[in-house]
Amino acid sequence: MLSECDYLTYVIKEVLRMDPPSVYSSPYMTYEEVEICGIKIPSKTKMAINFAGCHYNSDQWHEPTKFIPERFDPTSEYFLKPGTDDVRDPLAFIPFSTGKRSCPGMPFALTEIKVYLSFLISKFDYSIEPEMFSNPNVRFEQDSGFELDIKITKKH
Ligand code: HEM
C-alpha cells in the first residue's frame, strides 16, 4: 500500500533535494592529473561533491529555491529540464551521493522515512499560524535562530 503513495515519495525527495542531510561528500583526492568537464585538476588535489549545489542548479530544476514535489512526478510539467523536452541529468539529484562510495542504506532509508512519515501523518494533525507561510524567517536552516511553533494534536 505504501508503494502506492507516490506523492509522499515526491515530498520526501523534494525535502532531500532542498535540504540534503549531507551537503558535501567526503573528500576525494586525485592520484594523477585528471580532466573533468574541460577543467584540468592536478594530481594530489582534494575535492568534494557539492550535493546541494547540484540540487539547486537552475539548468536542471525549475525554480530551484521553491518547494515543488511535483518535479519528481513524471506526468508533471516540472519533471523535465526547464525550457526543454529533456529529462534531468541523473546526477542532478544525489542526496545519497553517487558512484562506488554512495550510500548503501538508500533503499532502507527511503522506505523507513515513508513508513515513519505515514505513521505520523495518520496519527496526528499539525497546524501552524497562517502568517508563518509567508514569514521569510521560516527556512530549512537549523541554526536560523527562529523557532517555528507547530501545534500537534492526536487524531481520534
Ligand atoms: C536520509 C537518509 C540518508 C542519507 C541522506 C544518506 C546519505 C549518505 C551519503 C551522502 C553518503 C556518502 C558520504 C560520503 O561522501 O562519504 C552515505 C554513505 C553511507 N551511508 Fe548513508 N544516508 C542515509 C541513510 C543511511 C542508512 C539508513 C544507512 C544504513 C542502514 C546508511 C549507511 C551508509 C554507509 C555505510 C555509508 C558509507 C558508504 C561508503 O563509504 O562506501 N545511510 N550516506
Side-chain angles (χ1 to χ4, degrees):
M1 179 168 149
L2 264 183
S3 59
E4 292 163 19
C5 299
D6 290 338
Y7 197 75
L8 185 58
T9 304
Y10 306 152
V11 168
I12 293 166
K13 287 187 170 177
E14 182 65 342
V15 171
L16 288 170
R17 181 190 72 82
M18 292 195 79
D19 191 25
S22 298
V23 175
Y24 294 101
S25 70
S26 302
Y28 293 85
M29 193 172 75
T30 54
Y31 285 101
E32 56 191 49
E33 184 184 278
V34 289
E35 191 172 317
I36 302 176
C37 300
I39 299 170
K40 281 204 167 69
I41 318 261
S43 174
K44 305 250 183 293
T45 304
K46 271 196 180 170
M47 299 182 297
I49 308 170
N50 180 350
F51 302 133
C54 300
H55 294 180
Y56 283 80
N57 180 353
S58 54
D59 289 344
Q60 300 286 328
W61 304 96
H62 295 261
E63 302 178 88
T65 57
K66 288 200 178 153
F67 185 79
I68 308 177
E70 286 76 7
R71 52 175 103 247
F72 292 98
D73 175 358
T75 65
S76 162
E77 59 182 307
Y78 293 103
F79 188 75
L80 299 171
K81 287 204 295 195
T84 73
D85 290 332
D86 303 331
V87 291
R88 283 187 295 266
D89 188 316
L91 297 180
F93 179 65
I94 44 172
F96 296 94
S97 192
T98 180
K100 287 183 184 166
R101 303 306 298 270
S102 63
C103 179
M106 179 177 78
F108 176 74
L110 288 175
T111 306
E112 185 189 30
I113 296 168
K114 232 172 161 180
V115 169
Y116 198 57
L117 266 184
S118 56
F119 171 81
L120 291 174
I121 293 166
S122 64
K123 297 289 180 195
F124 300 97
D125 285 318
Y126 305 83
S127 62
I128 64 171
E129 297 296 323
E131 60 267 23
M132 289 299 158
F133 286 106
S134 54
N135 187 323
N137 292 317
V138 179
R139 302 193 296 265
F140 274 117
E141 291 160 45
Q142 287 169 2
D143 300 324
S144 66
F146 181 80
E147 286 183 16
L148 176 64
D149 287 329
I150 303 174
K151 190 173 169 204
I152 303 174
T153 41
K154 199 164 187 287
K155 284 187 177 167
H156 296 293

